[in-house]
């Protein structure tokens, strides 16, 4: 990154401080979202209970809901709740640190790879990116994926023009080992950067350096084999795996083995820019897409070929998706966000440089178009932070208003949240039972996997002795029979936490009368009197 020496001293000082103003703003937005401390989302809850209750050794096996998460990420996430206490802020502390550190790492990477203007544009995009703000404060590994990718890129830049001394080889090996155990897509970043380093040495005929790198790559490969054998082997044997594959196929996240691969690749890039960039209008979305492809062309012709290292990891990820080994979609591709933003900014600055003076208004407008929406969203998030399903608040309301003989019916997808927050409100999840036979399902989903593995008690029909009922199915057609068994009871609390429950609410209001309700976004509790109406035939 180079600042024009012809500027006066005050302006030079402003240009030097501008990146730090942007970084400070990015930290502030993330910290504001972090302190908002929203209740956990369903995806977070799938791993939260395992982190809170599991041992370090448990993290090397599938978690309670059959999810596979990098063990080192889980260990580093658990440390704050061991040192302090288990609450939402502390269990999210490591993802927050990783996401915030990514701001500094991104600035370092951009300043070493593109011009000052492109650096500022990309840094502003990264600091205000809603996906990064969200996942920096989410109990998921995606902000760590970005942080690890940035660390690998910076390591490669640092070693690119230096002699590979033994300690540097050790550092390369160690970084690769730590990265794989902390982040699943790190293997694609290592493969991309490794390919870039090796090909650079081959083109420069630096055979001695290339031979040293082969040693590093062997260590990386052996480490990945060990990692796979311990944490991922046998994944296909888990019933939930079939459901996850089906889910990602429905999202078109796997590359096809056909001529439609090229169409899929273009669509994937376009949709990735839209989702990860947070562009809601066609104008801003396609402006960003155009700038990305212009940036790719610029990368091809640049003398500094390091930007190729930013592109190659996605190619390896797409290769894995051909074999349905990794979905290239949405948050799973967040590790590629820094590359997208740097290449977009490079494209904008390339148009700026190629424009004559009076036409520079065009690239200036293009930059404003891609920057305005993320920046405006970040301003909005300062006063209205991102929210989730808020069953936590609903549980508190029920806890404050429940009477000794009340019955609780817990909706299928509300179970992970209820189970995790149960210790704070004293409902005693161990007393919940299933009153319906095991349904015949095409796919075993996370909740069913947990119930099967933990041996949740199942009784033959409703018994007044058991006042805590688990919904057996996510759809109303699979739950009507068990809900009908509750008819005749005066006070039944129905707890919901999902977007697909309107039919449940409609049905319980048809067979009973609403006595109380607590609604927090799409989480809700309904107190229904089922003793006042007869079920219609």
């Amino acid at each position: 990154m180079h600042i024009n020496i012809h500027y006066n001293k005050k302006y030079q000082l402003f240009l030097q401080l501008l990146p730090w103003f942007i970084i400070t703003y990015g930290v502030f937005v993330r910290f504001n979202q972090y302190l908002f401390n929203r209740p956990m989302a369903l995806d977070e809850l799938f791993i939260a209970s395992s982190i809170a209750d599991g041992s370090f050794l448990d993290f090397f096996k599938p978690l309670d809901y059959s999810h596979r998460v990098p063990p080192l990420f889980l260990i580093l996430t658990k440390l704050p709740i061991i040192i302090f206490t288990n609450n939402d802020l502390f269990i999210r502390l490591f993802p927050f640190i990783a996401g915030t550190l990514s701001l500094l790492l991104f600035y370092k990477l951009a300043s070493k790879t593109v011009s000052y203007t492109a650096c500022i544009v990309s840094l502003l995009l990264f600091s205000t990116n809603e996906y990064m703000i969200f996942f920096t404060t989410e109990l998921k590994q995606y902000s760590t994926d970005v942080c690890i990718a940035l660390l690998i890129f910076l390591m490669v830049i640092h070693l690119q023009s230096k002699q590979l001394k033994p300690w540097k080889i050790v550092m390369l090996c160690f970084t690769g080992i730590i990265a794989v155990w902390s982040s699943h897509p790190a293997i694609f970043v290592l493969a991309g950067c490794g390919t870039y380093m090796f090909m650079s040495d081959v083109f420069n005929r630096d055979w001695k350096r290339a031979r040293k790198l082969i040693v590093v790559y062997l260590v990386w490969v052996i480490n990945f084999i060990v990692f796979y054998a311990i944490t991922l082997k046998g994944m296909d044997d888990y019933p939930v795996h079939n459901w996850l594959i089906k889910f990602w196929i429905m999202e078109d996240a796997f590359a096809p083995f056909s001529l439609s691969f090229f169409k899929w690749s273009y669509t994937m890039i376009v949709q990735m820019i839209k989702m990860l960039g947070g562009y809601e209008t066609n104008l801003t979305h396609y402006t960003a897409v155009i700038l990305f492809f212009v940036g790719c062309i610029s990368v091809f012709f640049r003398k500094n070929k390091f930007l190729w290292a930013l592109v190659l990891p996605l190619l390896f990820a797409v290769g894995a998706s051909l074999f349905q080994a990794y979905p290239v979609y949405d948050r799973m591709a967040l590790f590629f966000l820094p590359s997208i933003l740097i290449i977009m900014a490079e494209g904008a600055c390339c148009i700026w440089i190629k424009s004559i003076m009076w036409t520079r208004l065009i690239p200036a407008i293009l930059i404003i178009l891609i920057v305005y929406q993320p920046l405006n969203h970040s301003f909005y998030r300062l006063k209205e932070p991102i929210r989730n399903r808020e069953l936590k608040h609903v549980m508190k309301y029920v806890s404050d208003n429940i009477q000794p003989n009340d019955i609780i019916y817990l909706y299928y997808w509300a179970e992970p949240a209820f189970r995790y927050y149960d210790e704070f409100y004293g409902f005693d999840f161990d007393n919940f039972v299933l009153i319906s036979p095991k349904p015949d399902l095409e796919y075993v989903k996370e909740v069913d996997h947990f119930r099967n593995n933990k041996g949740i008690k199942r009784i033959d029909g409703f018994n007044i002795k058991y006042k805590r009922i688990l919904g057996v199915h996510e759809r109303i057609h699979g739950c009507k029979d068990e809900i009908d068994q509750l008819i005749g009871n005066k006070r039944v609390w129905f707890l919901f936490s999902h977007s697909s429950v309107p039919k449940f609410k409609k049905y319980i209001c048809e067979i009973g009368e609403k006595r109380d309700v607590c609604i927090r976004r799409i989480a809700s509790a309904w107190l229904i009197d089922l003793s006042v109406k007869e079920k219609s035939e």
Side-chain angles (χ1 to χ4, degrees):
M1 182 177 70
H2 175 69
I3 299 176
N4 195 323
I5 61 173
H6 298 296
Y7 294 137
N8 63 52
K9 291 184 178 180
K10 288 184 178 180
Y11 193 56
Q12 283 188 48
L13 179 61
F14 169 75
L15 294 179
Q16 290 170 356
L17 293 177
L18 181 57
W20 297 105
F21 289 144
I22 296 172
I23 290 171
T24 302
Y25 175 71
V27 172
F28 180 71
V29 174
R30 285 155 175 75
F31 193 60
N32 178 70
Q33 179 67 56
Y34 177 68
L35 289 183
F36 179 68
N37 195 24
R38 66 186 181 271
M40 289 198 188
L42 183 62
D43 282 353
E44 292 180 279
L45 293 158
F46 282 148
I47 68 173
S49 57
S50 295
I51 294 173
D53 302 332
S55 67
F56 288 154
L57 288 178
D58 291 333
F59 298 158
F60 293 84
K61 301 179 291 185
L63 303 182
D64 286 348
Y65 291 96
S66 191
H67 283 222
R68 311 293 181 108
V69 181
L72 188 54
F73 168 81
L74 295 172
I75 291 170
L76 294 172
T77 301
K78 187 176 178 68
L79 288 178
I81 66 175
I82 293 176
I83 297 170
F84 303 107
T85 185
N86 181 19
N87 66 36
D88 292 355
L89 281 175
F90 288 128
I91 204 170
R92 285 174 170 149
L93 182 59
F94 178 67
F96 173 73
I97 291 172
T100 304
L101 179 61
S102 296
L103 280 166
L104 297 172
L105 298 176
F106 182 90
Y107 170 56
K108 193 77 172 175
L109 177 64
S111 66
K112 288 180 176 294
T113 53
V114 290
S115 67
Y116 175 82
T117 304
C119 173
I120 293 298
V121 171
S122 61
L123 181 60
L124 187 57
L125 289 170
F126 189 77
S127 296
T128 59
N129 183 268
E130 185 145 323
Y131 256 58
M132 277 306 301
I133 294 170
F134 179 78
F135 285 113
T136 294
T137 57
E138 180 96 342
L139 182 59
K140 295 294 285 184
Q141 64 271 31
Y142 305 120
S143 66
T144 308
D145 292 343
V146 174
C147 187
I148 293 294
L150 290 168
L151 282 169
I152 295 171
F153 288 139
L154 287 170
M155 176 194 67
V156 172
I157 289 177
H158 176 70
L159 298 176
Q160 185 178 8
S161 58
K162 299 182 183 295
Q163 187 178 358
L164 278 182
K165 296 179 180 179
W167 72 268
K168 292 180 179 177
I169 294 175
V170 172
M171 185 177 76
L172 271 171
C173 293
F174 180 75
T175 302
I177 291 170
I178 295 298
V180 167
W181 289 88
S182 305
S183 164
H184 285 153
I187 190 65
F188 306 129
V189 183
L190 290 170
C193 289
T195 301
Y196 165 76
M197 288 191 294
F198 186 77
M199 295 307 297
S200 295
D201 291 338
V202 169
F203 286 131
N204 294 328
R205 298 183 179 277
D206 191 344
W207 308 116
K208 182 178 179 181
R209 182 184 172 93
R211 285 195 294 271
K212 292 179 179 179
L213 285 176
I214 289 175
V215 174
V216 174
Y217 302 152
L218 284 174
V219 172
W220 288 355
V221 169
I222 292 170
N223 173 63
F224 178 73
I225 292 172
V226 173
F227 170 78
Y228 182 87
I230 293 175
T231 68
L232 297 178
K233 188 177 180 182
M235 186 165 54
D236 293 350
D237 298 333
Y238 274 75
V240 176
H241 179 72
N242 295 330
W243 156 242
L244 293 175
I245 292 294
K246 174 67 174 178
F247 174 82
W248 290 120
I249 288 174
M250 290 189 297
E251 298 292 347
D252 200 23
F254 295 126
F257 260 118
S258 65
L259 291 177
S260 61
F261 170 82
F262 300 101
K263 180 182 178 181
W264 177 90
S265 299
Y266 170 78
T267 304
M268 178 267 296
I269 289 289
V270 170
Q271 290 302 314
M272 190 185 300
I273 292 172
K274 180 178 182 178
M275 286 186 290
L276 298 186
Y279 296 112
E280 297 175 351
T281 67
N282 287 335
L283 178 61
T284 55
H285 173 207
Y286 285 106
T287 298
V289 170
I290 290 169
L291 293 180
F292 176 80
F293 284 113
V294 171
C296 288
I297 295 170
S298 176
V299 168
F300 184 80
F301 289 105
R302 275 188 61 155
K303 291 182 180 179
N304 179 7
K305 298 297 184 184
F306 176 76
L307 289 179
W308 276 104
L310 302 183
V311 178
L312 287 172
L314 182 63
L315 301 183
F316 282 98
V318 169
S321 79
L322 282 167
F323 300 94
Q324 296 187 349
Y326 192 85
V328 183
Y329 181 82
D330 198 55
R331 58 197 179 275
M332 304 297 289
L334 192 64
F335 74 95
F336 194 62
L337 179 66
S339 302
I340 289 176
L341 299 183
I342 288 175
I343 292 171
M344 276 171 50
E346 171 71 13
C349 290
C350 177
I351 296 174
W352 177 277
I353 292 170
K354 298 297 182 182
S355 303
I356 58 177
M357 188 59 66
W358 65 273
T359 60
R360 285 190 173 175
L361 181 62
I362 297 174
I365 292 173
L366 296 179
I367 291 173
I368 291 171
L369 282 173
I370 63 170
V371 167
Y372 172 76
Q373 201 166 70
L375 185 61
N376 186 52
H377 279 178
S378 69
F379 289 151
Y380 175 73
R381 290 306 176 195
L382 288 175
K383 61 179 181 179
E384 186 59 39
I386 303 167
R387 298 173 182 269
N388 279 331
R389 305 177 183 97
E390 300 187 0
L391 189 68
K392 179 181 178 180
H393 301 309
V394 171
M395 289 174 68
K396 184 179 186 309
Y397 183 86
V398 175
S399 176
D400 292 341
N401 291 276
I402 196 168
Q403 296 181 11
N405 291 320
D406 288 0
I407 295 170
I408 296 177
Y409 179 92
L410 186 62
Y411 173 62
Y412 179 91
W413 283 120
E415 181 181 315
F418 192 93
R419 175 175 166 249
Y420 179 73
Y421 288 119
D422 176 43
E423 65 173 293
F424 302 107
Y425 301 107
F427 289 102
D428 196 357
F429 181 79
D430 291 339
N431 290 332
F432 278 75
V433 297
L434 291 158
I435 63 173
S436 296
K438 186 176 180 180
D440 185 17
L441 301 171
E442 182 181 2
Y443 297 102
V444 175
K445 298 186 179 181
E446 292 90 342
V447 172
D448 297 304
H449 173 82
F450 172 79
R451 291 173 175 179
N452 295 339
N453 273 23
K454 296 298 180 180
I456 298 296
K457 188 172 183 178
R458 191 183 297 271
I459 63 174
D460 187 15
F462 174 69
N463 186 323
I464 195 62
K465 178 182 176 182
Y466 299 97
K467 301 180 185 299
R468 304 292 183 259
I469 312 301
L470 295 175
V472 74
H473 202 280
E474 63 181 311
R475 306 291 182 192
I476 184 62
H477 67 79
C479 298
K480 280 187 176 182
D481 288 344
E482 64 185 14
I483 292 175
D484 289 347
Q485 294 180 49
L486 305 179
I487 291 175
N489 291 282
K490 191 171 183 62
R491 290 175 59 90
V492 182
W493 289 94
F494 291 86
L495 273 67
F496 300 109
S497 179
H498 209 262
S499 58
S500 60
V501 297
K503 292 181 179 179
F504 277 87
K505 297 171 186 175
K506 179 182 177 183
Y507 185 70
I508 61 177
C509 289
E510 286 177 353
I511 64 173
E513 286 191 1
K514 180 178 69 175
R515 299 304 187 195
D516 196 2
V517 64
C518 174
I519 299 176
R520 296 290 185 273
R521 294 175 61 79
I522 55 176
S524 60
W526 299 67
L527 178 60
I528 304 295
D529 184 348
L530 294 178
S531 67
V532 295
K533 291 184 181 180
E534 292 294 331
K535 179 179 176 292
S536 58
E537 295 297 331

